[in-house]
Each structure stands twice: as structure tokens, then as C-alpha cells.
Amino acid sequence: MAKQQANWSPYDNNGGSCVAIAGADYCVIAADTRMSTGYNILTREYSKICKLADKCVMASSGFQADVKALQKQLAARHLIYQHQHNKQMSCPAMAQLLSNTLYYKRFFPYYSFNVLGGLDNEGKGCVFTYDAVGSYEKVGYSSQGSGSTLITPFLDNQLKSPSPLLLPVQDAVTPLVEAEAIDLVKTVFASASERDIYTGDKIEIVVVNATGIRREYMELRKD
Amino acid sequence: MFRNQYDTDVTTWSPAGRLFQVEYAMEAVKQGSAAIGLRSKTHIVLGCVNKANSELSSHQKKIFKVDDHIGVAIAGLTADGRVLSRYMRNECINYGFTYESPLPVGRLVVQLADKAQVCTQRSWKRPYGVGLLVAGLDESGAHLYYNCPSGNYFEYQAFAIGSRSQAAKTYLERKFENFTDASRDDLVKDALMAIRETLQGETLKSSVCTIAVVGVGEPFHILDQGTVQQMIDAFEIVGEQEGPDAAAGQEASAEPEQGAGAGAGEGVAPMDI
């Protein structure tokens, strides 16, 4: 008797791309707003970005139902942290929490490809990039989702950060100024939406800096 | 209250139909430092007296934020209060996670009351030795509840618990009819006045009390010491101004001393006049 196969999958891929870039005193997190399934578009105006704490923002692509569940989990855990410690979670603390939350479901994973961006305890920009089961790394920039294969090489070309294994330890954050980083993000998404069918409609760009969190949008190709 | 042969276990009734352990638990509430609460249609204010064990130590935390729309002030065994606050916070977080909407206050107090009741009917437990003033805002309006160690709960327009709370209660009974339509700031002033009643002559300063507010458009938060001191100073001045006016209106001899006396009379507990 041939091995039984499942006739349904608990997962779906809603597509989309996410990008985050860390600067000396800011962090840019961006994602497109298209939600798809198969070759169809479900909506052109879905936000993949979630504010987890005062200085910590997460963008996730993949299966949005799992993404939503993950965001709710983290929000609830953050409330508990605030009650116990009387302060907001720092970005590195949230990064570890996200990793642990993802690994907790190692054997039925959240189909969620995340980038976490924000300011660390010293006010410097930081970006953390994850796989679906919680393996994570602090980097200077990252991209996840359906357009990541198109976006990452371009970011490597523009921002190449040194390997974290090199000595002496070098800064991963980009020397770019906030406005230049935002411009780079817009360029990168414009290019990705040319060739990736799942990326398009609009970009939602979130900027975290010392003054707070700011949001802006840019139109993209609708096809 | 005297010791008797029916007060060892919480599960032993007395011949008169009383559970003494539960009543002793209520006594513990009366021994704790005072906590007061009052509400209007749109806001609820909680206040408490900060009693430190010695000059060297800090005072115990008696007001806890439970959620953006609910806060609690406790009197009695503060450790029990802390544990119950943690329970309440958990319930709010879980409800919010499941229903994406804030837990109605009435539901929370019932859950709290049921939790307290369990401890009155298990031989291996003891009742919680803490009274809770639960202040919360939900779709049906502003609420103030008092939860007893006995497992009972009551809704109030204004209430006070803990030591010397009778003085505050008397003040609140005089003024409560004005609370429903009072402004947020007037409500805080009334809370400070009520706290002053329990201090029995001791000067009211922001270091001896804590005030917290929750209301429409205002998530639960504890007011910082600076703001509280400003409000105390504001109404102390008003008190002194009213003093001379009242004295001048009443009698011919409007000496400054009498004016000050009339002003202080507004703040001094009624039984001292």
C-alpha cells in the first residue's frame, strides 16, 4: 500500500515582500500591501507590518493567518512583560522572544517569514532576520518573502555589510541617511514588482527613529 | 471579635451560622492602610494612603493597572492583592486575545468573587486577606466595585476601605450626589479630600498618597507625584480663600485665625469639630 498523502494543506502562501534597513539612528521597515492566493489577488490593501513595542516593528510575509496569530501572541506576551517590568520591551529582547515563540512550534511551524526592525537600547538602528522556525541573526539589512530573491542581491550591491564573523567587529548599520534609505527601499520595491507577480499595489514604509514611529505609502504597479 | 472554638477552620460553621475565618479575613482588610474610590459618569478615580513600615523603606504598591480600562486599589494583605492583580491581568489579556475587545468589568469582578469564594469552602485553603476596589470602564459605562474576602462584591458610586476609612466614607456620603456629573479634575480633588479625612490631621502631601484615574479617552494610569502635589496645592489655596469668606459671612469678628480655622475645618474630619 502506497504511503498516504494529505488531501489538504494547513498552509497557504499569501505572497508579498518585506524589507528592513538599519541606520545609525533610524530603522526603515517596509512591505508591500498585496495579499494573494495562487494566481488571484485577495486584496490590494493589507498591512503586513505590526508595531510590537515602542521602538520595535515587525514585517512578515508568508501565510497571513499564521502571521496574525503570531502578532497576537507577541502582543499578549508584551503586555505581560510590561506588567512585570513596568517598561516596554527593547528590540533585542523582542527579537529573542520572537525566536523562542517560533521555535516553540518547531513541529507545526508558523508559516511566517519575518524581519524585525527598530532601535536598540542605545538608539542605534537594528534589524533581525528570521526563518520560519526561529533561527535569527542581527544584520544591517534584510529582505524576506516572494520578492526577496530579487531584492537581496540589489541590497547587497548597495549596502553590503561586513560578515558578523569578521574581526575587528565592524558596524553593520548603513552609513546612509534616513532619506536615502527610504529612497533605496522605494527603488527596490519598484524593481521587484516588475518581475515578481506577488509584489505590487502599494508599499507601506515605517520609519522608527528617536522622535517616534512614522508611516508613509507609495504606489506600485497594480498588475 | 473574640476567639472561640469554631474559628480554627474556614470550613467550620459556628452555631450562629457564621464562618469566623472569613470574618477574620475581613478584619485584615480593615487593618490595611486606606484606599478610596469614586466615580462619575465618565471617570473613576482611585486613591490610597502610602504607609511605609519605617522611614528607611519604600511604601507598598497598592494600586495596580490591570488593563487599559481597568485598575485596582487594595487594602489588607498586599501580597494577596498582588497575586490577585496578576490573575486579573491574565484574565484581561486572555479575553482580549480571544475576543479582540476589552473584558467587561462586571465579568472580571464576578470571576474574582468566585475565586475568593473557593477559598471559603476548602479546608486546605484560607480566604484572601485583601479587599479590592476595582475601577473600570466598559461599554455600559464607568464602574466601581468592591470585592470582599468573603466572595461578595458590590457596586458603588464611591467607597473607602482600610483603616480610618469611616472618616473618608462620611465625607463621601456627604458629597456623592455630586459625583455623577462632576468633571475629572473635581473628582480627583474629591478623592484627595477623602484621603485627607483618613489622615486625621496629618498634612496631605503627594508623598503620602497615590492617585490613579481611568476614564473615557483616558487609559488607566497612576498620576505622577508632581501633578498630585499641584492639585493638592490648588485646592489648599481654595480652602483658605473659602475660609475667610465663610467666616466673614457668618460672624462680625473675622480674625485671620478664625478664617484659617474655618478653612481647615473643611478638611478636618467631621467628628473633630
Side-chain angles (χ1 to χ4, degrees):
Chain A
M1 178 173 141
K3 183 176 178 185
Q4 273 209 311
Q5 297 279 3
N7 54 11
W8 71 282
S9 164
Y11 298 112
D12 187 16
N13 190 349
N14 300 119
S17 318
C18 309
V19 165
I21 302 178
D25 60 349
Y26 67 88
C27 187
V28 180
I29 302 99
D32 70 324
T33 61
R34 174 177 287 176
M35 185 166 161
S36 351
T37 173
Y39 286 124
N40 301 313
I41 292 180
L42 288 171
T43 176
R44 299 189 189 277
E45 303 195 23
Y46 190 80
S47 173
K48 301 190 197 27
I49 302 184
C50 175
K51 178 180 143 175
L52 297 176
D54 251 1
K55 304 278 175 175
C56 187
V57 173
M58 177 174 80
S60 322
S61 87
F63 180 37
Q64 290 302 321
D66 273 358
V67 168
K68 180 67 96 186
L70 180 62
Q71 287 170 353
K72 285 179 75 159
Q73 265 283 48
L74 294 172
R77 291 300 304 276
H78 188 220
L79 261 183
I80 295 173
Y81 182 97
Q82 283 178 79
H83 281 140
Q84 289 178 344
H85 299 95
N86 228 24
K87 63 171 190 164
Q88 298 263 330
M89 268 178 100
S90 66
C91 201
M94 188 57 88
Q96 186 65 53
L97 177 64
L98 174 53
S99 170
N100 293 343
T101 309
L102 291 169
Y103 196 80
Y104 195 73
K105 277 175 53 81
R106 171 68 179 80
F107 300 110
F108 184 11
Y110 288 107
Y111 194 124
S112 168
F113 300 98
N114 314 294
V115 287
L116 194 75
L119 301 179
D120 65 15
N121 287 318
E122 289 136 29
K124 239 168 58 167
C126 58
V127 169
F128 298 90
T129 189
Y130 295 78
D131 71 359
V133 284
S135 162
Y136 81 112
E137 189 188 2
K138 180 161 186 266
V139 287
Y141 61 91
S142 170
S143 150
Q144 294 277 2
S146 57
S148 65
T149 45
L150 299 165
I151 295 173
T152 308
F154 189 83
L155 289 179
D156 284 340
N157 177 269
Q158 297 291 308
L159 300 172
K160 183 70 183 173
S161 51
S163 162
L165 301 167
L166 274 180
L167 282 174
V169 169
Q170 287 174 41
D171 223 354
V173 299
T174 175
L176 286 182
V177 136
E178 190 183 299
E180 291 171 321
I182 296 175
D183 215 58
L184 177 59
V185 161
K186 292 180 178 174
T187 310
V188 136
F189 267 96
S191 307
S193 34
E194 291 291 316
R195 294 289 179 172
D196 177 25
I197 58 172
Y198 298 107
T199 303
D201 292 328
K202 257 201 324 236
I203 328 172
E204 185 184 2
I205 305 176
V206 170
V207 184
V208 185
N209 56 26
T211 47
I213 301 189
R214 190 179 92 240
R215 191 181 302 247
E216 53 179 277
Y217 294 92
M218 189 188 94
E219 294 293 320
L220 288 176
R221 290 183 69 121
K222 314 283 180 207
D223 65 357
Chain B
M1 210 154 293
F2 48 87
R3 270 224 97 213
N4 52 62
Q5 49 183 297
Y6 306 109
D7 68 353
T8 315
D9 288 322
V10 71
T11 48
T12 305
W13 287 100
S14 82
R18 294 160 69 169
L19 287 171
F20 280 104
Q21 279 297 309
V22 176
E23 293 183 23
Y24 295 165
M26 316 259 270
E27 274 303 304
V29 177
K30 293 182 201 160
Q31 302 299 332
S33 54
I36 59 118
L38 29 75
R39 69 151 189 215
S40 72
K41 211 158 43 190
T42 54
H43 288 79
I44 313 106
V45 178
L46 290 174
C48 71
V49 169
N50 300 338
K51 197 174 27 175
N53 277 338
S54 76
E55 277 186 25
L56 298 170
S57 76
S58 63
H59 64 84
Q60 286 188 313
K61 195 164 151 177
K62 282 160 55 82
I63 297 190
F64 299 91
K65 175 170 173 168
V66 166
D67 203 348
D68 280 340
H69 66 298
I70 300 181
V72 64
I74 62 171
L77 264 52
T78 37
D80 284 1
R82 219 175 44 238
V83 157
L84 287 176
S85 303
R86 198 160 58 223
Y87 167 75
M88 292 165 80
R89 285 170 175 169
N90 232 28
E91 291 300 301
C92 286
I93 290 175
N94 288 336
Y95 187 94
F97 186 94
T98 310
Y99 299 101
E100 297 254 348
S101 110
L103 176 57
V105 196
R107 298 265 186 99
L108 182 60
V109 293
V110 176
Q111 283 175 261
L112 204 52
D114 288 346
K115 195 170 163 68
Q117 191 279 340
V118 166
C119 298
T120 67
Q121 214 175 8
R122 306 279 184 273
S123 61
W124 62 90
K125 286 185 181 252
R126 65 155 176 84
Y128 288 105
V130 65
L132 301 115
L133 282 172
V134 183
L137 200 67
D138 59 26
E139 281 182 354
S140 54
H143 300 281
L144 175 69
Y145 290 92
Y146 170 52
N147 278 69
C148 286
S150 60
N152 280 329
Y153 67 97
F154 309 93
E155 186 162 6
Y156 287 96
Q157 187 72 39
F159 199 51
I161 56 176
S163 70
R164 297 197 283 237
S165 58
Q166 189 49 55
K169 264 188 268 190
T170 316
Y171 173 83
L172 293 170
E173 274 165 26
R174 265 200 341 251
K175 294 289 187 96
F176 81 94
E177 264 144 5
N178 301 329
F179 290 166
T180 312
D181 297 310
S183 74
R184 175 218 187 255
D185 287 341
D186 282 342
L187 217 58
V188 176
K189 285 196 182 117
D190 277 316
L192 286 164
M193 303 276 238
I195 291 178
R196 187 155 69 162
E197 300 293 314
T198 69
L199 292 173
Q200 300 281 20
E202 202 184 312
T203 342
L204 177 64
K205 296 185 292 232
S206 64
S207 55
V208 297
C209 66
T210 308
I211 302 277
V213 186
V214 60
V216 174
E218 194 177 348
F220 184 91
H221 64 287
I222 297 178
L223 300 185
D224 75 281
Q225 301 285 51
T227 318
V228 175
Q229 190 58 50
Q230 268 178 6
M231 302 202 85
I232 293 175
D233 295 336
F235 86 72
E236 293 275 45
I237 295 168
V238 171
E240 279 171 27
Q241 280 174 353
E242 276 182 26
D245 287 349
Q250 280 167 18
E251 278 145 345
S253 52
E255 285 166 1
E257 201 190 306
Q258 191 171 44
E266 205 181 282
V268 166
M271 54 272 271
D272 286 348
I273 294 172

